[in-house]
Amino acid sequence: MTGGDWLEPDWPAPANVKALVTTRNGGVSVGPYASLNLGLHVGDAPDAVTRNRALLRARLPAEPLWLDQVHGTAVADADENTGPVRADASIATRPRVVCAVMTADCLPVLFCNEGGTVAAATHAGWRGLAAGVLDATLARMGERPENVLAWLGPAIGPRAFEVGDDVRNCFVAADPLAAAAFRPAGAAGKWMGDLFMLARLRLRKLGIERIYGGEICTYFSPDHFFSYRRDGTTGRFASVVWLSE
């Protein structure tokens, strides 16, 4: 699955659906941003981020549509936009149009249909997940859920994602089955949450059964992935997907 400084999703997508996830390695940033930080908003030197994005661009058919992510449910049309857009997901139906999301503990979810005619990338932190960003992405794809594949990228895992009653109650109130995604932590009112399980529950509720990935914890992978919960000041890695010719 891994290829040097890149991760390739292990999912049975059509041959024309291309995807990759960057790691924190192979770039020029230093300090807590070492080395392939792609986020301009985290305090890293802008020229270093520009150089890092150029390194990624060299592996892609076009510049990705970079999003101004706000933990919401807006879905951008990557076919029609080239500059930064305030959204937490994007879709593409044209070849060589690259969808991208940046994360450092939140869950990146990549989508495509079995016909290879639409692809999407979604930023699903717990707030966006609870608000329905996966639902919004599927709606914008305009595809029957049984024809959709989803891949869950690296995110904070259930041994590291400690949350309070507010987060657990938010999910359980919407779906009682979500209770299985939380186990008591040491302190009263604290829980260890399974973001991967919560995403799978949501996807299955939408009718999507072909779900892959969800095995890599950013928190416990310091040599490969940035983690905001682990480090505080840190960079961002990208998950990208596109359709080839």
Side-chain angles (χ1 to χ4, degrees), residues 41-235:
H41 62 295
V42 295
D44 194 6
D47 61 332
V49 179
T50 299
R51 291 170 65 189
N52 288 338
R53 289 188 175 187
L55 290 170
L56 172 60
R57 170 65 182 85
R59 290 288 302 269
L60 305 175
E63 183 73 18
L65 174 62
W66 297 108
L67 303 177
D68 177 13
Q69 299 169 189
V70 293
H71 299 278
T73 62
V75 181
D77 186 343
D79 293 338
E80 302 298 332
N81 291 280
T82 56
V85 180
R86 177 163 290 192
D88 283 271
S90 63
I91 64 167
T93 60
R94 297 177 182 172
R96 303 174 61 85
V97 174
V98 183
C99 298
V101 290
M102 287 188 290
T103 55
D105 279 339
C106 290
L107 176 62
V109 183
L110 302 182
F111 294 90
C112 70
N113 66 341
E114 62 183 9
T117 59
V118 60
T122 303
H123 163 242
W126 77 262
R127 291 179 179 83
L129 185 58
V133 69
L134 300 181
D135 315 48
T137 304
L138 177 61
R140 285 294 300 274
M141 288 177 71
E143 185 60 83
R144 295 174 63 87
E146 59 266 29
N147 296 334
V148 172
L149 290 74
W151 183 78
L152 312 183
I156 192 166
R159 293 190 298 127
F161 187 41
E162 182 176 304
V163 299
D165 283 331
D166 56 334
V167 176
R168 181 182 183 274
N169 293 342
C170 178
F171 284 98
V172 174
D175 181 2
L177 293 178
F182 297 90
R183 60 179 178 82
K190 295 295 184 180
W191 304 84
M192 304 307 294
D194 189 335
L195 200 58
F196 298 122
M197 182 183 293
L198 291 169
R200 290 189 184 100
L201 285 169
R202 192 77 176 219
L203 290 167
R204 291 188 176 115
K205 193 172 183 179
L206 292 169
I208 299 173
E209 294 289 342
R210 298 159 75 180
I211 307 166
Y212 308 90
E215 301 165 350
I216 300 174
C217 175
T218 48
Y219 188 96
F220 288 111
S221 304
D223 293 336
H224 293 94
F225 295 104
F226 299 111
S227 169
Y228 180 80
R229 183 72 68 101
R230 183 187 64 229
D231 299 325
T233 300
T234 193

Side-chain angles (χ1 to χ4, degrees), residues 3-24:
D5 300 325
W6 314 92
L7 172 74
E8 294 186 3
D10 184 9
W11 63 337
N16 72 310
V17 176
K18 309 299 183 182
L20 64 83
V21 180
T22 65
T23 68
R24 69 178 304 161

